[in-house]
Amino acid sequence: MRTSTIVATLASLPSLLALRAPRAPSLYPRIFTERSANTSYCPGHPAPESVQRGIFDGFINQLYVEKDVIGAFNTYIALNLTEHDPFDLQGRIPNEEKLANIIPFVPSVVLRSSFDNNIGFIHVRVNTPGEEPIALADIYRMDGTCLVEHWDVTQARPANATNPIAMF
């Protein structure tokens, strides 16, 4: 192919792209892809993994970065949340009340998160002043657009730890 043909083809790309077929409307209304002040994703509605991932990322941001426990739970967590922590009650309300008295007052950093096949996890470093940091792993299961099940694992760094990068 000659250089002049390549240049002419590249020059015509903007007009060719403008002629492409219009996009079909999304099967998922804006409410499922962009959160507004009054949006709740629960009860859950069917959603592809890409939409679930976006919802899960919004939950992480609101809960762990903005530290808005009540808002995050009202937006993303099912009222009948299945809770696997042996020290917590079942349901959204008792868990949001407990965490509303903890998360906003304890410095923490989300180190990593992932979402795959209806399951999301968050690895958090909790920095309680005057204490060794704690590693926290929260695991959530989604049913469509709603977080419906939760597990967590915590580990305090032992005073005699021999691994300098243990837990983080």
Side-chain angles (χ1 to χ4, degrees):
M1 191 176 261
R2 293 188 346 202
T3 305
S4 61
T5 306
I6 293 171
V7 171
T9 303
L10 290 174
S12 67
L13 278 178
S15 59
L16 291 173
L17 292 174
L19 295 175
R20 71 179 183 208
R23 295 179 85 183
S26 173
L27 296 175
Y28 299 92
R30 183 177 186 164
I31 189 171
F32 296 135
T33 56
E34 296 179 18
R35 187 174 66 84
S36 68
N38 297 319
T39 301
S40 176
Y41 296 103
C42 301
H45 304 282
E49 188 171 309
S50 61
V51 171
Q52 288 180 315
R53 182 174 288 113
I55 292 169
F56 188 68
D57 289 344
F59 170 70
I60 292 171
N61 185 67
Q62 190 168 6
L63 183 64
Y64 294 100
V65 178
E66 296 174 11
K67 298 188 179 278
D68 176 12
V69 176
I70 302 299
F73 270 63
N74 286 334
T75 303
Y76 300 100
I77 302 288
L79 272 171
N80 62 343
L81 174 71
T82 300
E83 175 59 60
H84 293 280
D85 186 318
F87 301 106
D88 290 342
L89 298 173
Q90 296 298 307
R92 179 178 81 201
I93 294 171
N95 286 283
E96 77 183 23
E97 289 172 349
K98 174 188 172 185
L99 293 176
N101 290 307
I102 298 171
I103 290 178
F105 307 104
V106 177
S108 62
V109 177
V110 174
L111 301 175
R112 52 195 58 82
S113 65
S114 185
F115 188 87
D116 185 48
N117 196 27
N118 297 333
I119 301 289
F121 90 88
I122 307 113
H123 179 205
V124 179
R125 178 185 174 121
V126 179
N127 301 304
T128 304
E131 296 180 18
E132 286 290 324
I134 296 171
L136 168 66
D138 274 323
I139 304 162
Y140 290 91
R141 183 178 66 84
M142 290 184 78
D143 181 9
T145 58
C146 186
L147 296 156
V148 297
E149 195 165 6
H150 173 252
W151 300 261
D152 61 2
V153 180
T154 59
Q155 180 180 3
R157 183 189 308 215
N160 60 351
T162 55
N163 182 349
I165 61 168
M167 302 165 27
F168 308 108

